[in-house]
Amino acid sequence: MLNLFFSISATKTNHILEPILTINNLTKKFGYLTAVKDLSFTINKGNVYGILGPNGSGKSTTLGIVLNVVNKTAGDFHWFDGNTSTHNALKQVGAIIERPNFYPYMTAEQNLKLVCRIKGVDHSKIAEKLEVVGLLERKDHKFKTYSLGMKQRLAIASALLNDPEILILDEPTNGLDPQGIHQIRKIIKEIAANGTTILLASHLLDEVEKVCTHVVVLRKGEKLYSGRVDEMINSHGFFELKAEQHQDLLSLLEADNSFGKIKVEDELITAFLNAPMSASEFNKLMFSKGILLSHLVKRKESLEEQFLQLTDKLN
Amino acid sequence: MLRLLKIEFDKLKYNKASRILILTYFILLVLIALFAVIKFDIGPVKFHLAEMGIFNFPYIWHFNTFIAGLLKFFLLLVIVSMVSNEYSNKTLKQNLIDGLSKKEFILSKFYTVLAFAFISTIFVFLVSLVLGLFYSSFIESSIIFTDLEYLIAFFVKLVGFFAFGLFLGVLIKRSAFAVATMIVLFLVEFISYSVVSAYNRGTDLADNIYQFLPFKSLWNLIDQPFSRLSAVKAVANQVGEDLSYDYAVHWYEIAIVLCWAALFIFLSYRLLKMRDL
């Protein structure tokens, strides 16, 4: 089984790193199955993190542990500076895990009032947060009459009630229709833009790529990599090329040390760089060799490609 | 404590089934008063329950707490479902994530149990007081306020019974199965008690053992009041049956039930703490 874990921190640089969640050597065993193995990482304030992995990879288990619903087998974790109990720390955390869980017989407003009571927040926030997720006019409808998309949006409103230090989202778009997915992503982006720390778990790579920038990659609960998404593998990117003189171009590329792997698909040549080189530099070089390019694109690997390369190396 | 009670109160208030059950329970408590109007008047046989002394102070405390004790099943359903619904709606998980600790969760349920038991006791007290003032032959305050220990026993009985229900709700997570389990446990205790006492006729062995078991200890708190009625006594004397019976509420009976209640609450907490949700 492949356990994949990404943690991504954002571009916003902090002067002082203020930890929000610190995990040390965390292990969780379900009988013989080790879902999380000796896992350590830190989440710092102001960053946007993502957790990425296929279904059943243990990312929900890790979130469950830090959210006080799953018992750890070994290791430890603490919220903030480590001086508050987990349940008190959770009052400053907003979290949605898997499906939205509310009392079906209560209206949106009644449900949120209950959350306010638990978190010790004033009721005045309710209208404001319902507005953020566009549910204000449905506040007096019972939760059970909501569509899945609305339920998920209510869950986000609920998680935001306390203006949390960190927002934890586990598979927030799972099971939603395209419109619902779009709405949720828009809301998440708005929240991220306000400087709220976000921890996003998803099995959808493009979802993580669209919102987050730093990663910690884990496999079977073990950390493979931590850092920025674009530095995940040592890559200088690659060129996609087309030219009339197809064979000449190919032999030139093969002779050049700057290029590693070269892939050919019909007319299109993909050349991976071993050393940094800009597109204009390359164009100039080709021109001096008498090759006129009809197509030149410089690209970096997508998160998915990087991710596959990283895990391929270990297989 | 108030915060936890308010949280639980909100959850119950909006639940239609709970609302109906709670309402039914308290209406039935009031309907105890209807015993007063049971009246047969068939030629020579005149039977008026209120005039047979069941509403005489201080006997009324015993009679009414016993009858009201039989109605506790309605609230049991509320208690069990208020726990098992948290599992089936997965709101328990959400409550914990929102920052309620597992301890606070169990405490909020336990405080609700205490509140139900307390309100029931006050209710029975008021209903009995009014009924007594209407029908009792003696209304001197010294007589009215004797034997109030039945109300304490009633309170403890409800707390013990509901704590049992709470524990089964946490253990089994499904209301119907939890209630069914309780019934099965009751039958097991009742049948085994019958067997043990049948094999040890003439000794107190069965009672000595079973007074420590949950259902029997609850039952022992308030003994059946019927044979205490003067009318019944008169009949018994005629047929030569000796009905001398210890009706009193004993401290050790209360202590046993309180131990069970504490154990059930503690086990509920341990169970919740151990479980991965």
Side-chain angles (χ1 to χ4, degrees), chain A residues 126-229:
Chain A
I126 293 174
E128 178 196 331
K129 301 305 176 189
L130 281 174
E131 182 77 66
V132 171
V133 297
L135 282 175
L136 193 57
E137 58 278 22
R138 289 290 302 263
K139 74 183 168 76
D140 292 324
H141 290 230
K142 286 197 170 144
F143 177 69
K144 62 184 170 199
T145 66
Y146 277 24
S147 70
L148 182 60
M150 291 165 74
K151 285 177 177 175
Q152 196 63 280
R153 280 187 281 147
L154 181 63
I156 292 179
S158 160
L160 291 174
L161 275 177
N162 51 347
D163 292 316
E165 293 277 343
I166 179 172
L167 183 64
I168 295 179
L169 302 152
D170 187 3
E171 309 277 6
T173 58
N174 214 5
L176 296 182
D177 58 18
Q179 200 200 356
I181 292 174
H182 180 74
Q183 283 174 330
I184 299 287
R185 282 190 186 154
K186 202 171 138 241
I187 293 167
I188 294 173
K189 275 182 193 157
E190 283 166 10
I191 297 162
N194 291 334
T196 306
T197 311
I198 292 182
L199 175 58
L200 174 69
S202 176
H203 66 283
L204 302 171
L205 290 133
D206 66 323
E207 187 164 287
V208 172
E209 191 173 25
K210 274 175 187 156
V211 191
C212 317
T213 47
H214 278 61
V215 265
V216 175
V217 183
L218 295 127
R219 186 163 158 271
K220 289 179 180 168
E222 286 172 297
K223 191 159 76 183
L224 293 187
Y225 170 81
S226 72
R228 296 177 59 93
V229 179

Side-chain angles (χ1 to χ4, degrees), chain A residues 28 71 103 105 117-118, chain B residues 3 10-11 86 273 276:
Chain A
K28 175 64 186 177
N71 295 312
Y103 296 89
Y105 51 84
R117 277 241 161 90
I118 292 175
Chain B
R3 166 175 163 261
D10 269 4
K11 293 177 187 171
E86 302 272 8
K273 200 165 179 172
D276 293 329

Side-chain angles (χ1 to χ4, degrees), chain B residues 42-271:
Chain B
I42 318 159
V45 187
K46 284 202 168 69
F47 185 81
H48 188 186
L49 206 51
E51 277 160 17
M52 290 181 67
I54 66 163
F55 294 134
N56 277 345
F57 288 116
Y59 176 73
I60 186 172
W61 301 124
H62 186 181
F63 183 80
N64 278 4
T65 50
F66 180 82
I67 297 294
L70 301 177
L71 298 174
K72 61 187 184 295
F73 203 73
F74 284 90
L75 280 193
L76 174 74
L77 296 180
V78 175
I79 305 281
V80 170
S81 69
M82 84 183 182
V83 178
S84 55
N85 279 349
E86 302 272 8
Y87 275 103
S88 49
N89 293 332
K90 290 199 171 179
T91 41
L92 165 57
K93 202 170 172 179
Q94 194 61 47
N95 282 178
L96 297 182
I97 290 168
D98 287 339
L100 204 67
S101 70
K102 288 182 174 179
K103 194 171 164 188
E104 282 177 329
F105 180 82
I106 292 294
L107 277 179
S108 78
K109 302 293 179 194
F110 179 58
Y111 289 157
T112 310
V113 162
L114 290 181
F116 273 136
F118 184 71
I119 296 169
S120 302
T121 309
I122 295 292
F123 226 77
V124 169
F125 172 75
L126 291 176
V127 168
S128 307
L129 192 67
V130 171
L131 272 178
L133 290 176
F134 264 103
Y135 292 103
S136 176
S137 320
F138 335 94
I139 44 169
E140 294 80 23
S141 60
S142 62
I143 295 180
I144 291 177
F145 295 110
T146 43
D147 279 2
L148 282 184
E149 67 267 22
Y150 283 107
L151 286 170
I152 297 169
F154 178 67
F155 176 77
V156 171
K157 187 173 177 162
L158 290 191
V159 170
F161 187 66
F162 295 155
F164 197 2
L166 187 72
F167 169 68
L168 288 179
V170 173
L171 180 71
I172 295 173
K173 307 181 199 170
R174 300 268 182 287
S175 342
F177 289 112
V179 172
T181 306
M182 196 161 202
I183 293 169
V184 169
L185 287 175
F186 171 73
L187 289 176
V188 168
E189 193 182 312
F190 184 72
I191 293 169
S192 67
Y193 170 76
S194 311
V195 171
V196 173
S197 55
Y199 273 97
N200 298 281
R201 212 176 282 274
T203 69
D204 285 340
L205 184 71
D207 285 310
N208 286 341
I209 297 170
Y210 278 79
Q211 66 173 324
F212 294 108
L213 293 189
F215 289 105
K216 185 68 177 154
S217 65
L218 286 171
W219 178 258
N220 282 348
L221 276 177
I222 303 175
D223 299 290
Q224 55 78 21
F226 304 110
S227 55
R228 204 177 166 188
L229 270 173
S230 53
V232 177
K233 269 185 189 157
V235 174
N237 279 337
Q238 279 174 9
V239 296
E241 186 87 15
D242 182 20
L243 278 179
S244 61
Y245 197 87
D246 182 10
Y247 300 102
V249 177
H250 295 286
W251 68 267
Y252 55 84
E253 291 170 345
I254 287 181
I256 292 169
V257 172
L258 286 179
C259 282
W260 275 114
L263 186 69
F264 286 136
I265 298 301
F266 175 71
L267 286 178
S268 304
Y269 173 61
R270 282 308 298 265
L271 205 58

Side-chain angles (χ1 to χ4, degrees), chain A residues 28 30 67-72 87-88 90-91 93 95-106 110 113-115 117-120 142 158, chain B residues 3 6-8 10-16 85-86 89-102 104-105 272-277:
Chain A
K28 175 64 186 177
F30 292 107
L67 291 174
N68 211 9
V69 292
V70 176
N71 295 312
K72 59 186 196 269
H87 81 273
N88 274 326
L90 289 181
K91 288 174 184 155
V93 173
I96 307 161
I97 53 171
E98 292 150 4
R99 299 192 128 242
N101 303 318
F102 288 99
Y103 296 89
Y105 51 84
M106 282 158 69
Q110 288 163 353
K113 272 187 182 163
L114 191 66
V115 176
R117 277 241 161 90
I118 292 175
K119 287 189 182 276
K142 286 197 170 144
S158 160
Chain B
R3 166 175 163 261
K6 272 184 180 162
I7 288 171
E8 200 51 50
D10 269 4
K11 293 177 187 171
L12 287 173
K13 184 169 66 178
Y14 299 117
N15 190 330
K16 206 189 259 169
N85 279 349
E86 302 272 8
N89 293 332
K90 290 199 171 179
T91 41
L92 165 57
K93 202 170 172 179
Q94 194 61 47
N95 282 178
L96 297 182
I97 290 168
D98 287 339
L100 204 67
S101 70
K102 288 182 174 179
E104 282 177 329
F105 180 82
L272 188 64
K273 200 165 179 172
M274 267 166 45
R275 269 201 193 131
D276 293 329
L277 297 165

Side-chain angles (χ1 to χ4, degrees), chain A residues 4 15 20 23 29-30 43 52 61 126 157 190 192 292-293:
Chain A
L4 310 164
H15 301 294
I20 286 194
I23 295 178
K29 288 180 182 166
F30 292 107
I43 287 173
L52 189 63
T61 306
I126 293 174
E190 283 166 10
L292 299 172
L293 297 167

